[in-house]
Amino acid sequence: MHRLFPSLRIDVNSGLYVKDPESSDLGKRIVSEGILLIHELGFESFTFKKLGLKIGSNESSLYRYFENKHKFLLYLTSWYWGWMEYKLVFTTHSLPDPMEKLSTAIQILTATTEEDGAFTHVNEVVLNKIVINEFSKSYLTKEVDEENRNGYFVIYKRLVSRISEMIQQVNPDYQYPGALASTLLEGALHQHYLKEHFPQLTECGSSTSPAEYFLDLIQRSLS
Amino acid sequence: MHRLFPSLRIDVNSGLYVKDPESSDLGKRIVSEGILLIHELGFESFTFKKLGLKIGSNESSLYRYFENKHKFLLYLTSWYWGWMEYKLVFTTHSLPDPMEKLSTAIQILTATTEEDGAFTHVNEVVLNKIVINEFSKSYLTKEVDEENRNGYFVIYKRLVSRISEMIQQVNPDYQYPGALASTLLEGALHQHYLKEHFPQLTECGSSTSPAEYFLDLIQRSLS
DNA sequence: ACAAAATGATAGTAATACTATTATATTTGC
DNA sequence: GCAAATATAATAGTATTACTATCATTTTGT
């Protein structure tokens, strides 16, 4: 996929960074190594000091790119959803049949991320794992309403809207397209988490994928 | 409901506390006021020092009841799910029709909590709000597998199993009873969160409840 | 070559998340 | 009713976190 748009850039809300990390080598290293370190330590134990140490840079330098680790997480997850949106729009754009379009969308959104490499400094496979483990923490905060007003969640919201619209195209009479779309996005992350840590709670696992479950669920809901 | 079993006790895993908070006045105050303070400050800003101040007790005394605030959260959420399980089993026990049983279960699990007062020192309405906002943080950690092995999530898992079995009773051919049950429990919390903070992402709101959406979703899925 | 910008080094602060110790209440068992 | 046991309070102390501020050094663009 990366050969098609070599200069593609995902437009994350500029309030999420102090200085654009795409604008320098250090910024890119913060992002790429930050992804790996959050994955390794978990978000709670992750600190800028540790990241500075890992990339051989000074803690104070990292603060010139991101105000704090919460905004860093918002940046990474926004980037992830922007990347998903790009894949979704690109792949489904030319599909004429609404159900085929929606099915393709579900597959993209619920699949385990494979190597992509469109953005050399971002390891999308690890980023996907971070999103599964940490995305909820980015909005389950006391500051959510203000941050929402600041536009920090626009990409995610737009993505839910897109799915919602696809659902309406398939069945204009269905009463809960938004609820179903939001259940799909959030539920997909949840099923991936369960298959890793609570396998007894779901059929999703080695032989059945979250994609199959959600495809079935949505087909039944809209028929 | 509280008049039926005045001496009912919810059996939370004893590894979650150092000293049983039900065993003393101070313990009960830690729980009751702790619920209010977490709701007020959010889990990130909540500390034992602040709670000690609020209840006029010493920080060090709180540590004699709970190792840390993470275990305190696990205790509170376990208690909540135990309470939900009790309501669920009690209410659905005598229902002979599987679909009626499941529908009743869905209503209990997705409803907004109203005053109960079965347990005088626990404000279940506020606790329900805490669960919506903070439950995910209790398991989205690096320690989840060990804590799962310790049995800290048994009540929640048993609850998912119960729903899963109800689903199987309604439609034995349905392939994803566990996935659907876990989607329901987690999705219900999520829809409640969305209607509060991201109302544009869901139809659930003042005129439509999460209960209606999930009842419809599950009926469609199992027919 | 020079100024400006970026980065690094160091230091400092208030708060967090505890642990340890000792003192004072309170309860209970006889 | 009193001593012993238990519970709670008070105080102090530690390492870490999450920053901010200042100044030095390196890199860069023209």
Side-chain angles (χ1 to χ4, degrees):
Chain A
M1 180 163 261
H2 64 290
R3 294 184 180 278
L4 288 163
F5 302 103
S7 64
L8 191 86
R9 189 194 135 90
I10 286 165
D11 201 20
V12 172
N13 185 300
S14 63
L16 291 177
Y17 48 79
V18 183
K19 177 179 175 175
D20 183 3
E22 303 270 355
S23 71
S24 75
D25 261 19
L26 179 60
K28 285 176 194 159
R29 275 175 63 70
I30 290 171
V31 169
S32 63
E33 298 293 310
I35 289 169
L36 301 179
L37 195 60
I38 289 176
H39 179 245
E40 190 186 319
L41 303 177
F43 187 65
E44 282 71 35
S45 300
F46 169 85
T47 69
F48 279 179
K49 192 169 190 182
K50 291 173 185 169
L51 180 54
L53 214 74
K54 185 184 172 95
I55 66 178
S57 181
N58 201 273
E59 190 189 2
S60 61
S61 303
L62 308 208
Y63 280 101
R64 292 207 187 83
Y65 285 88
F66 295 99
E67 265 181 58
N68 51 51
K69 71 173 179 173
H70 174 243
K71 289 221 172 159
F72 185 47
L73 179 62
L74 283 172
Y75 177 89
L76 294 177
T77 54
S78 282
W79 194 98
Y80 176 82
W81 293 118
W83 176 62
M84 288 301 265
E85 185 189 26
Y86 152 71
K87 292 213 289 188
L88 182 88
V89 172
F90 183 82
T91 312
T92 62
H93 182 256
S94 59
L95 299 174
D97 178 57
M99 192 63 219
E100 200 191 334
K101 201 165 189 151
L102 180 59
S103 297
T104 306
I106 293 170
Q107 255 151 18
I108 288 171
L109 295 172
T110 62
T112 306
T113 302
E114 313 281 344
E115 299 287 339
D116 182 313
F119 305 88
T120 46
H121 67 294
V122 175
N123 184 329
E124 290 93 354
V125 177
V126 178
L127 182 54
N128 172 245
K129 290 178 182 167
I130 289 183
V131 169
I132 290 168
N133 281 272
E134 323 289 1
F135 176 55
S136 302
K137 298 169 192 168
S138 77
Y139 62 84
L140 293 172
T141 69
K142 279 284 163 187
E143 296 77 32
V144 62
D145 296 330
E146 199 197 328
E147 294 184 346
N148 189 17
R149 265 180 260 122
N150 291 344
Y152 297 171
F153 301 104
V154 278
I155 299 179
Y156 185 73
K157 290 195 288 185
R158 201 169 55 214
L159 192 54
V160 174
S161 295
R162 286 186 191 278
I163 312 297
S164 181
E165 279 158 28
M166 288 184 189
I167 288 169
Q168 284 173 273
Q169 291 292 313
V170 171
N171 182 349
D173 296 327
Y174 182 67
Q175 285 182 69
Y176 313 103
L180 188 58
S182 56
T183 300
L184 168 71
L185 270 189
E186 212 267 347
L189 299 181
H190 190 57
Q191 290 299 316
H192 280 291
Y193 192 84
L194 291 184
K195 81 182 164 57
E196 208 65 43
H197 301 287
F198 297 93
Q200 65 274 62
L201 295 190
T202 179
E203 289 75 25
C204 297
S206 48
S207 56
T208 307
S209 66
E212 290 173 71
Y213 160 61
F214 280 109
L215 269 168
D216 176 80
L217 182 75
I218 289 184
Q219 269 158 8
R220 284 169 188 265
S221 299
L222 301 182
S223 63
Chain B
M1 180 164 260
H2 64 289
R3 296 185 176 279
L4 289 163
F5 303 103
S7 65
L8 191 86
R9 192 193 132 90
I10 285 164
D11 202 20
V12 171
N13 185 300
S14 65
L16 292 177
Y17 48 79
V18 182
K19 178 179 174 174
D20 182 3
E22 304 269 353
S23 71
S24 75
D25 261 18
L26 179 60
K28 284 176 195 160
R29 277 176 60 71
I30 291 171
V31 169
S32 63
E33 298 293 310
I35 289 170
L36 300 179
L37 196 59
I38 290 176
H39 178 246
E40 191 186 319
L41 303 177
F43 187 65
E44 283 71 35
S45 300
F46 168 86
T47 69
F48 279 179
K49 192 168 190 185
K50 291 173 185 169
L51 180 53
L53 214 72
K54 185 184 172 95
I55 66 178
S57 181
N58 202 273
E59 188 188 2
S60 61
S61 302
L62 308 207
Y63 280 102
R64 290 208 190 79
Y65 285 87
F66 296 99
E67 266 182 59
N68 51 52
K69 70 172 180 173
H70 174 242
K71 288 221 173 158
F72 186 46
L73 180 61
L74 283 171
Y75 176 89
L76 294 178
T77 55
S78 282
W79 194 98
Y80 175 83
W81 293 119
W83 176 62
M84 288 301 264
E85 185 189 26
Y86 151 70
K87 292 213 288 186
L88 182 88
V89 172
F90 182 81
T91 311
T92 62
H93 183 255
S94 59
L95 300 174
D97 177 56
M99 192 62 220
E100 199 191 335
K101 200 166 191 152
L102 179 60
S103 297
T104 306
I106 293 169
Q107 255 150 18
I108 289 170
L109 295 172
T110 61
T112 304
T113 302
E114 313 281 343
E115 299 289 336
D116 184 310
F119 304 88
T120 47
H121 67 293
V122 174
N123 184 330
E124 291 93 353
V125 178
V126 178
L127 182 54
N128 171 245
K129 290 177 182 168
I130 289 182
V131 169
I132 290 168
N133 282 272
E134 322 290 0
F135 176 54
S136 303
K137 299 170 192 168
S138 77
Y139 61 83
L140 292 173
T141 68
K142 279 285 163 187
E143 297 77 30
V144 61
D145 296 332
E146 198 196 331
E147 294 184 345
N148 190 17
R149 263 179 261 122
N150 290 345
Y152 297 169
F153 301 104
V154 276
I155 299 180
Y156 185 74
K157 289 194 288 184
R158 200 168 57 214
L159 192 55
V160 174
S161 294
R162 285 186 192 276
I163 312 296
S164 180
E165 278 157 29
M166 288 183 189
I167 288 168
Q168 283 171 273
Q169 291 293 313
V170 172
N171 182 351
D173 295 328
Y174 182 67
Q175 285 182 69
Y176 313 102
L180 188 58
S182 55
T183 300
L184 169 71
L185 270 189
E186 212 267 349
L189 299 181
H190 189 56
Q191 291 299 316
H192 280 290
Y193 192 84
L194 291 184
K195 80 181 164 57
E196 209 63 45
H197 301 287
F198 296 93
Q200 65 273 59
L201 294 189
T202 179
E203 288 75 26
C204 296
S206 47
S207 57
T208 308
S209 67
E212 290 173 72
Y213 160 61
F214 280 109
L215 269 168
D216 177 80
L217 183 75
I218 290 184
Q219 268 158 9
R220 285 168 187 265
S221 297
L222 300 182
S223 62

